[in-house]
Structures are given as C-alpha cells and as structure tokens.
Amino acid sequence: MHMRKLSFRAFGILGALLLSVAMGSCLLPQGRVSSALVYTFVPSRITVQAGETIPGTDIRYSHQGENGAHVIINGQQALKRQGDSLNWSGEPRPGVKVELRMRVVWISDAQMELLGTTKVTVQNAQPRRAAIVTSSPMEYGGAVAYNVRQGNTIPGTLLTYEGETEEGARLGNVDGYPFRRAGDSILWEGMLVDDVYVRLDLRAVQYSERSLSVGGWATLWIGQ
C-alpha cells in the first residue's frame, strides 16, 4: 500500500513537470483581479473506511453487499458498483468550496476507493507563512504547475520571481540562498486563509528573464 501511494504521487509530479515544459505560459495564468486560488487535482484518490464518511461530507460508506457498496447520501441509501459516479460539493469552511467528481474503483469489506477529480476554491486568499497543521481529516493533494512572470508570486505563496541571473533563477521573499537552477527544489509551507494550510513541494523546470516555470505537488489541509 505504501509503495502504491509513492508511485501515484511520483506519477502526478512527473505529469506536472512535463506539462509545465510543454505548455509554458498557457498553464495556469495568475489572476490579477480575483484573489481566489483554485486547485484542481487530477487524478485524485480518496479511501473511505467502512462505517466512516468522506471527511467534510455527509457521504458514508456503510458496508459491502452482494451487489456492491452500500453508501448513505443525504440520509438515503445508494448502491454503488465499480465504475459508478460519486460526487459531492460544499463549503466545509466559509469561502472554501470543495467539489468531488469521483468514480468507485475498488470495494472491499474494509474500505471503498474512489478516483477522480478534486477541485478546491479558496476565496479571498491571503497567503502567509505559518506552521502548518496536518491533523485535519480533510486533506487533498495533487500535481500543480505554474508559469510565473517576473515580478509575480508563485500562487499560494509569498515567493516572487525576480528574474534570470548567472547563479540561476532568483526568488524573492525566501529565507537564505535565493537562487534555483532547473531541477532545484522550492518548498513552501503556510496558510491561505484561517485554518486552511498548504504545502508546496515544487521544482524549477525552466526559466528566462521573463518567466519561471515550476511544477510539483501541493497538499491542502482544511480545518473544520
């Protein structure tokens, strides 16, 4: 199980890095008007133990029956078989919307596994440095890739791109050595809004005087 999670994460990171090289500035344009941050994690996996709910939702996996998984949705029983959809949307915190678009991929007596897309929209985001709290059961993660123009910030952080130098890409608002060459890591931990924490484990992909492309893995924890 542990090895499967590692390979799933590695697949997502590789996909983000390849996307950032291939698509350049068309990746995820930075909003200049809205302060909303949108994270779309594809693919996204959720495992639900029998008798428990998907964190933050009212969807509970009751048990495995002869014909499939018995799921409680809004107090009503639903039979879900492999390949069936299982969707949910809501605001676990004011201004934080989560949309799950999932398919049932595995059912057992112990658990049900879902695979699909998770979209998290954080309105009025004001990134700041903070010690992250990872105890929340609402944890979402996936690959991200950004193309950051000179003078702009990496979304969800306070880190700015200051341009190309002989030492590499120069970052602003970092602690210590500010330069990164292609393939070097960029780590950020902080808070987007109250009780919404983010960890970005990125790598510089390519850079020029005008822009920096980064790709990697984002993890969000949403407090309840």
Side-chain angles (χ1 to χ4, degrees), residues 55-83:
T57 79
D58 57 0
I59 298 176
R60 181 167 62 89
Y61 175 37
S62 176
H63 64 280
Q64 180 186 23
E66 183 177 344
N67 295 315
H70 290 260
V71 180
I72 309 300
I73 305 174
N74 293 328
Q76 297 179 315
Q77 289 198 25
L79 180 67
K80 295 292 182 177
R81 307 181 71 183
Q82 284 185 330

PDB file of all heavy atoms in Angstrom, residues 55-83:
ATOM      1  N   PRO A  55     -14.369  12.690   4.672  1.00  0.00           N
ATOM      2  CA  PRO A  55     -14.194  13.860   5.543  1.00  0.00           C
ATOM      3  C   PRO A  55     -14.791  15.128   4.940  1.00  0.00           C
ATOM      4  O   PRO A  55     -14.585  15.442   3.766  1.00  0.00           O
ATOM      5  CB  PRO A  55     -12.676  13.962   5.672  1.00  0.00           C
ATOM      6  CG  PRO A  55     -12.195  12.556   5.510  1.00  0.00           C
ATOM      7  CD  PRO A  55     -13.107  11.948   4.484  1.00  0.00           C
ATOM      8  N   GLY A  56     -15.569  15.840   5.772  1.00  0.00           N
ATOM      9  CA  GLY A  56     -16.165  17.097   5.354  1.00  0.00           C
ATOM     10  C   GLY A  56     -17.486  16.956   4.631  1.00  0.00           C
ATOM     11  O   GLY A  56     -18.131  17.959   4.322  1.00  0.00           O
ATOM     12  N   THR A  57     -17.900  15.719   4.336  1.00  0.00           N
ATOM     13  CA  THR A  57     -19.140  15.498   3.602  1.00  0.00           C
ATOM     14  C   THR A  57     -20.119  14.684   4.454  1.00  0.00           C
ATOM     15  O   THR A  57     -19.798  14.251   5.554  1.00  0.00           O
ATOM     16  CB  THR A  57     -18.872  14.722   2.292  1.00  0.00           C
ATOM     17  OG1 THR A  57     -18.714  13.325   2.590  1.00  0.00           O
ATOM     18  CG2 THR A  57     -17.609  15.219   1.602  1.00  0.00           C
ATOM     19  N   ASP A  58     -21.324  14.457   3.887  1.00  0.00           N
ATOM     20  CA  ASP A  58     -22.314  13.620   4.556  1.00  0.00           C
ATOM     21  C   ASP A  58     -22.420  12.255   3.877  1.00  0.00           C
ATOM     22  O   ASP A  58     -23.404  11.536   4.063  1.00  0.00           O
ATOM     23  CB  ASP A  58     -23.680  14.310   4.570  1.00  0.00           C
ATOM     24  CG  ASP A  58     -24.175  14.658   3.172  1.00  0.00           C
ATOM     25  OD1 ASP A  58     -23.457  14.358   2.186  1.00  0.00           O
ATOM     26  OD2 ASP A  58     -25.274  15.222   3.051  1.00  0.00           O
ATOM     27  N   ILE A  59     -21.413  11.883   3.088  1.00  0.00           N
ATOM     28  CA  ILE A  59     -21.414  10.614   2.377  1.00  0.00           C
ATOM     29  C   ILE A  59     -20.697   9.561   3.218  1.00  0.00           C
ATOM     30  O   ILE A  59     -19.515   9.722   3.543  1.00  0.00           O
ATOM     31  CB  ILE A  59     -20.725  10.750   1.002  1.00  0.00           C
ATOM     32  CG1 ILE A  59     -21.492  11.749   0.130  1.00  0.00           C
ATOM     33  CG2 ILE A  59     -20.638   9.397   0.315  1.00  0.00           C
ATOM     34  CD1 ILE A  59     -20.826  12.025  -1.198  1.00  0.00           C
ATOM     35  N   ARG A  60     -21.413   8.496   3.578  1.00  0.00           N
ATOM     36  CA  ARG A  60     -20.850   7.449   4.431  1.00  0.00           C
ATOM     37  C   ARG A  60     -20.864   6.107   3.710  1.00  0.00           C
ATOM     38  O   ARG A  60     -21.856   5.729   3.097  1.00  0.00           O
ATOM     39  CB  ARG A  60     -21.640   7.337   5.737  1.00  0.00           C
ATOM     40  CG  ARG A  60     -21.089   6.280   6.710  1.00  0.00           C
ATOM     41  CD  ARG A  60     -21.698   6.430   8.090  1.00  0.00           C
ATOM     42  NE  ARG A  60     -23.135   6.243   8.095  1.00  0.00           N
ATOM     43  CZ  ARG A  60     -23.740   5.064   8.260  1.00  0.00           C
ATOM     44  NH1 ARG A  60     -22.997   3.963   8.440  1.00  0.00           N
ATOM     45  NH2 ARG A  60     -25.057   4.973   8.263  1.00  0.00           N
ATOM     46  N   TYR A  61     -19.723   5.420   3.778  1.00  0.00           N
ATOM     47  CA  TYR A  61     -19.650   4.055   3.252  1.00  0.00           C
ATOM     48  C   TYR A  61     -20.136   3.111   4.338  1.00  0.00           C
ATOM     49  O   TYR A  61     -19.467   2.930   5.347  1.00  0.00           O
ATOM     50  CB  TYR A  61     -18.220   3.731   2.832  1.00  0.00           C
ATOM     51  CG  TYR A  61     -18.019   2.290   2.389  1.00  0.00           C
ATOM     52  CD1 TYR A  61     -19.012   1.619   1.672  1.00  0.00           C
ATOM     53  CD2 TYR A  61     -16.858   1.612   2.695  1.00  0.00           C
ATOM     54  CE1 TYR A  61     -18.837   0.302   1.267  1.00  0.00           C
ATOM     55  CE2 TYR A  61     -16.675   0.288   2.290  1.00  0.00           C
ATOM     56  CZ  TYR A  61     -17.668  -0.356   1.580  1.00  0.00           C
ATOM     57  OH  TYR A  61     -17.502  -1.669   1.186  1.00  0.00           O
ATOM     58  N   SER A  62     -21.294   2.511   4.130  1.00  0.00           N
ATOM     59  CA  SER A  62     -21.890   1.648   5.142  1.00  0.00           C
ATOM     60  C   SER A  62     -21.224   0.273   5.162  1.00  0.00           C
ATOM     61  O   SER A  62     -20.590  -0.110   6.142  1.00  0.00           O
ATOM     62  CB  SER A  62     -23.391   1.497   4.883  1.00  0.00           C
ATOM     63  OG  SER A  62     -23.972   0.596   5.802  1.00  0.00           O
ATOM     64  N   HIS A  63     -21.348  -0.455   4.059  1.00  0.00           N
ATOM     65  CA  HIS A  63     -20.783  -1.799   4.025  1.00  0.00           C
ATOM     66  C   HIS A  63     -20.800  -2.320   2.599  1.00  0.00           C
ATOM     67  O   HIS A  63     -21.472  -1.748   1.712  1.00  0.00           O
ATOM     68  CB  HIS A  63     -21.567  -2.750   4.936  1.00  0.00           C
ATOM     69  CG  HIS A  63     -22.983  -2.951   4.507  1.00  0.00           C
ATOM     70  ND1 HIS A  63     -23.995  -2.032   4.781  1.00  0.00           N
ATOM     71  CD2 HIS A  63     -23.595  -3.954   3.801  1.00  0.00           C
ATOM     72  CE1 HIS A  63     -25.135  -2.459   4.295  1.00  0.00           C
ATOM     73  NE2 HIS A  63     -24.915  -3.621   3.684  1.00  0.00           N
ATOM     74  N   GLN A  64     -20.107  -3.411   2.394  1.00  0.00           N
ATOM     75  CA  GLN A  64     -20.124  -4.077   1.098  1.00  0.00           C
ATOM     76  C   GLN A  64     -21.221  -5.129   1.098  1.00  0.00           C
ATOM     77  O   GLN A  64     -21.313  -5.969   2.000  1.00  0.00           O
ATOM     78  CB  GLN A  64     -18.776  -4.731   0.791  1.00  0.00           C
ATOM     79  CG  GLN A  64     -18.735  -5.441  -0.563  1.00  0.00           C
ATOM     80  CD  GLN A  64     -17.436  -6.199  -0.794  1.00  0.00           C
ATOM     81  OE1 GLN A  64     -16.754  -6.563   0.157  1.00  0.00           O
ATOM     82  NE2 GLN A  64     -17.087  -6.411  -2.057  1.00  0.00           N
ATOM     83  N   GLY A  65     -22.063  -5.078   0.082  1.00  0.00           N
ATOM     84  CA  GLY A  65     -23.110  -6.067  -0.065  1.00  0.00           C
ATOM     85  C   GLY A  65     -22.808  -7.002  -1.226  1.00  0.00           C
ATOM     86  O   GLY A  65     -21.759  -6.920  -1.871  1.00  0.00           O
ATOM     87  N   GLU A  66     -23.757  -7.848  -1.507  1.00  0.00           N
ATOM     88  CA  GLU A  66     -23.561  -8.823  -2.574  1.00  0.00           C
ATOM     89  C   GLU A  66     -23.433  -8.170  -3.941  1.00  0.00           C
ATOM     90  O   GLU A  66     -22.704  -8.652  -4.818  1.00  0.00           O
ATOM     91  CB  GLU A  66     -24.746  -9.802  -2.580  1.00  0.00           C
ATOM     92  CG  GLU A  66     -24.629 -10.926  -3.606  1.00  0.00           C
ATOM     93  CD  GLU A  66     -25.772 -11.901  -3.512  1.00  0.00           C
ATOM     94  OE1 GLU A  66     -26.484 -11.897  -2.473  1.00  0.00           O
ATOM     95  OE2 GLU A  66     -25.972 -12.657  -4.483  1.00  0.00           O
ATOM     96  N   ASN A  67     -24.111  -7.032  -4.117  1.00  0.00           N
ATOM     97  CA  ASN A  67     -24.142  -6.383  -5.428  1.00  0.00           C
ATOM     98  C   ASN A  67     -23.306  -5.107  -5.515  1.00  0.00           C
ATOM     99  O   ASN A  67     -23.299  -4.451  -6.553  1.00  0.00           O
ATOM    100  CB  ASN A  67     -25.591  -6.055  -5.814  1.00  0.00           C
ATOM    101  CG  ASN A  67     -26.421  -7.301  -6.001  1.00  0.00           C
ATOM    102  OD1 ASN A  67     -25.975  -8.252  -6.639  1.00  0.00           O
ATOM    103  ND2 ASN A  67     -27.621  -7.317  -5.419  1.00  0.00           N
ATOM    104  N   GLY A  68     -22.637  -4.743  -4.442  1.00  0.00           N
ATOM    105  CA  GLY A  68     -21.818  -3.536  -4.485  1.00  0.00           C
ATOM    106  C   GLY A  68     -21.718  -2.869  -3.124  1.00  0.00           C
ATOM    107  O   GLY A  68     -21.985  -3.482  -2.088  1.00  0.00           O
ATOM    108  N   ALA A  69     -21.328  -1.597  -3.147  1.00  0.00           N
ATOM    109  CA  ALA A  69     -21.137  -0.836  -1.909  1.00  0.00           C
ATOM    110  C   ALA A  69     -22.431  -0.142  -1.522  1.00  0.00           C
ATOM    111  O   ALA A  69     -23.074   0.505  -2.357  1.00  0.00           O
ATOM    112  CB  ALA A  69     -20.026   0.196  -2.096  1.00  0.00           C
ATOM    113  N   HIS A  70     -22.805  -0.271  -0.248  1.00  0.00           N
ATOM    114  CA  HIS A  70     -23.958   0.445   0.277  1.00  0.00           C
ATOM    115  C   HIS A  70     -23.467   1.767   0.869  1.00  0.00           C
ATOM    116  O   HIS A  70     -22.682   1.787   1.813  1.00  0.00           O
ATOM    117  CB  HIS A  70     -24.678  -0.400   1.327  1.00  0.00           C
ATOM    118  CG  HIS A  70     -25.377  -1.586   0.743  1.00  0.00           C
ATOM    119  ND1 HIS A  70     -26.732  -1.604   0.488  1.00  0.00           N
ATOM    120  CD2 HIS A  70     -24.900  -2.794   0.332  1.00  0.00           C
ATOM    121  CE1 HIS A  70     -27.064  -2.769  -0.047  1.00  0.00           C
ATOM    122  NE2 HIS A  70     -25.969  -3.515  -0.140  1.00  0.00           N
ATOM    123  N   VAL A  71     -23.940   2.861   0.277  1.00  0.00           N
ATOM    124  CA  VAL A  71     -23.482   4.204   0.636  1.00  0.00           C
ATOM    125  C   VAL A  71     -24.685   5.022   1.096  1.00  0.00           C
ATOM    126  O   VAL A  71     -25.770   4.933   0.502  1.00  0.00           O
ATOM    127  CB  VAL A  71     -22.801   4.894  -0.569  1.00  0.00           C
ATOM    128  CG1 VAL A  71     -22.326   6.292  -0.208  1.00  0.00           C
ATOM    129  CG2 VAL A  71     -21.620   4.049  -1.068  1.00  0.00           C
ATOM    130  N   ILE A  72     -24.490   5.809   2.150  1.00  0.00           N
ATOM    131  CA  ILE A  72     -25.534   6.700   2.652  1.00  0.00           C
ATOM    132  C   ILE A  72     -25.249   8.105   2.161  1.00  0.00           C
ATOM    133  O   ILE A  72     -24.198   8.679   2.464  1.00  0.00           O
ATOM    134  CB  ILE A  72     -25.609   6.680   4.188  1.00  0.00           C
ATOM    135  CG1 ILE A  72     -25.684   5.235   4.709  1.00  0.00           C
ATOM    136  CG2 ILE A  72     -26.799   7.496   4.669  1.00  0.00           C
ATOM    137  CD1 ILE A  72     -26.881   4.467   4.218  1.00  0.00           C
ATOM    138  N   ILE A  73     -26.183   8.673   1.379  1.00  0.00           N
ATOM    139  CA  ILE A  73     -26.047  10.026   0.833  1.00  0.00           C
ATOM    140  C   ILE A  73     -27.276  10.821   1.244  1.00  0.00           C
ATOM    141  O   ILE A  73     -28.401  10.454   0.895  1.00  0.00           O
ATOM    142  CB  ILE A  73     -25.920  10.002  -0.703  1.00  0.00           C
ATOM    143  CG1 ILE A  73     -24.768   9.088  -1.147  1.00  0.00           C
ATOM    144  CG2 ILE A  73     -25.718  11.410  -1.238  1.00  0.00           C
ATOM    145  CD1 ILE A  73     -24.673   8.906  -2.653  1.00  0.00           C
ATOM    146  N   ASN A  74     -27.075  11.894   1.990  1.00  0.00           N
ATOM    147  CA  ASN A  74     -28.187  12.714   2.478  1.00  0.00           C
ATOM    148  C   ASN A  74     -29.236  11.870   3.197  1.00  0.00           C
ATOM    149  O   ASN A  74     -30.448  12.079   3.044  1.00  0.00           O
ATOM    150  CB  ASN A  74     -28.846  13.483   1.319  1.00  0.00           C
ATOM    151  CG  ASN A  74     -27.944  14.521   0.712  1.00  0.00           C
ATOM    152  OD1 ASN A  74     -27.110  15.120   1.407  1.00  0.00           O
ATOM    153  ND2 ASN A  74     -28.069  14.746  -0.585  1.00  0.00           N
ATOM    154  N   GLY A  75     -28.759  10.886   3.960  1.00  0.00           N
ATOM    155  CA  GLY A  75     -29.653  10.055   4.731  1.00  0.00           C
ATOM    156  C   GLY A  75     -30.333   8.954   3.940  1.00  0.00           C
ATOM    157  O   GLY A  75     -31.118   8.186   4.513  1.00  0.00           O
ATOM    158  N   GLN A  76     -30.051   8.842   2.643  1.00  0.00           N
ATOM    159  CA  GLN A  76     -30.679   7.832   1.804  1.00  0.00           C
ATOM    160  C   GLN A  76     -29.640   6.810   1.356  1.00  0.00           C
ATOM    161  O   GLN A  76     -28.488   7.148   1.081  1.00  0.00           O
ATOM    162  CB  GLN A  76     -31.334   8.475   0.576  1.00  0.00           C
ATOM    163  CG  GLN A  76     -32.467   9.435   0.910  1.00  0.00           C
ATOM    164  CD  GLN A  76     -33.058  10.057  -0.341  1.00  0.00           C
ATOM    165  OE1 GLN A  76     -32.344  10.494  -1.223  1.00  0.00           O
ATOM    166  NE2 GLN A  76     -34.386  10.088  -0.407  1.00  0.00           N
ATOM    167  N   GLN A  77     -30.078   5.552   1.258  1.00  0.00           N
ATOM    168  CA  GLN A  77     -29.168   4.503   0.839  1.00  0.00           C
ATOM    169  C   GLN A  77     -29.013   4.502  -0.677  1.00  0.00           C
ATOM    170  O   GLN A  77     -29.984   4.700  -1.413  1.00  0.00           O
ATOM    171  CB  GLN A  77     -29.671   3.141   1.310  1.00  0.00           C
ATOM    172  CG  GLN A  77     -29.566   2.932   2.806  1.00  0.00           C
ATOM    173  CD  GLN A  77     -29.641   1.455   3.171  1.00  0.00           C
ATOM    174  OE1 GLN A  77     -29.324   0.588   2.364  1.00  0.00           O
ATOM    175  NE2 GLN A  77     -30.053   1.182   4.398  1.00  0.00           N
ATOM    176  N   ALA A  78     -27.782   4.276  -1.119  1.00  0.00           N
ATOM    177  CA  ALA A  78     -27.493   4.171  -2.547  1.00  0.00           C
ATOM    178  C   ALA A  78     -26.557   2.996  -2.760  1.00  0.00           C
ATOM    179  O   ALA A  78     -25.637   2.769  -1.968  1.00  0.00           O
ATOM    180  CB  ALA A  78     -26.848   5.456  -3.061  1.00  0.00           C
ATOM    181  N   LEU A  79     -26.802   2.238  -3.808  1.00  0.00           N
ATOM    182  CA  LEU A  79     -25.929   1.128  -4.162  1.00  0.00           C
ATOM    183  C   LEU A  79     -24.938   1.615  -5.209  1.00  0.00           C
ATOM    184  O   LEU A  79     -25.331   2.127  -6.267  1.00  0.00           O
ATOM    185  CB  LEU A  79     -26.739  -0.044  -4.708  1.00  0.00           C
ATOM    186  CG  LEU A  79     -25.926  -1.282  -5.122  1.00  0.00           C
ATOM    187  CD1 LEU A  79     -25.282  -1.932  -3.897  1.00  0.00           C
ATOM    188  CD2 LEU A  79     -26.813  -2.279  -5.858  1.00  0.00           C
ATOM    189  N   LYS A  80     -23.652   1.470  -4.917  1.00  0.00           N
ATOM    190  CA  LYS A  80     -22.607   1.899  -5.835  1.00  0.00           C
ATOM    191  C   LYS A  80     -21.736   0.704  -6.209  1.00  0.00           C
ATOM    192  O   LYS A  80     -21.228  -0.004  -5.339  1.00  0.00           O
ATOM    193  CB  LYS A  80     -21.749   2.998  -5.194  1.00  0.00           C
ATOM    194  CG  LYS A  80     -22.493   4.297  -4.927  1.00  0.00           C
ATOM    195  CD  LYS A  80     -22.875   5.002  -6.222  1.00  0.00           C
ATOM    196  CE  LYS A  80     -23.587   6.323  -5.959  1.00  0.00           C
ATOM    197  NZ  LYS A  80     -23.903   7.041  -7.229  1.00  0.00           N
ATOM    198  N   ARG A  81     -21.576   0.526  -7.515  1.00  0.00           N
ATOM    199  CA  ARG A  81     -20.731  -0.545  -8.021  1.00  0.00           C
ATOM    200  C   ARG A  81     -19.485   0.061  -8.660  1.00  0.00           C
ATOM    201  O   ARG A  81     -19.408   1.276  -8.885  1.00  0.00           O
ATOM    202  CB  ARG A  81     -21.514  -1.379  -9.040  1.00  0.00           C
ATOM    203  CG  ARG A  81     -22.853  -1.871  -8.492  1.00  0.00           C
ATOM    204  CD  ARG A  81     -23.605  -2.704  -9.496  1.00  0.00           C
ATOM    205  NE  ARG A  81     -22.960  -4.001  -9.684  1.00  0.00           N
ATOM    206  CZ  ARG A  81     -23.377  -4.906 -10.563  1.00  0.00           C
ATOM    207  NH1 ARG A  81     -24.426  -4.649 -11.342  1.00  0.00           N
ATOM    208  NH2 ARG A  81     -22.750  -6.068 -10.672  1.00  0.00           N
ATOM    209  N   GLN A  82     -18.507  -0.787  -8.945  1.00  0.00           N
ATOM    210  CA  GLN A  82     -17.281  -0.295  -9.570  1.00  0.00           C
ATOM    211  C   GLN A  82     -17.618   0.432 -10.866  1.00  0.00           C
ATOM    212  O   GLN A  82     -18.374  -0.065 -11.705  1.00  0.00           O
ATOM    213  CB  GLN A  82     -16.327  -1.454  -9.848  1.00  0.00           C
ATOM    214  CG  GLN A  82     -15.608  -1.965  -8.602  1.00  0.00           C
ATOM    215  CD  GLN A  82     -14.586  -3.034  -8.936  1.00  0.00           C
ATOM    216  OE1 GLN A  82     -14.735  -3.782  -9.882  1.00  0.00           O
ATOM    217  NE2 GLN A  82     -13.526  -3.113  -8.137  1.00  0.00           N
ATOM    218  N   GLY A  83     -17.039   1.634 -10.993  1.00  0.00           N
ATOM    219  CA  GLY A  83     -17.287   2.458 -12.168  1.00  0.00           C
ATOM    220  C   GLY A  83     -18.375   3.480 -11.984  1.00  0.00           C
ATOM    221  O   GLY A  83     -18.512   4.404 -12.804  1.00  0.00           O
TER     222      GLY A  83
END
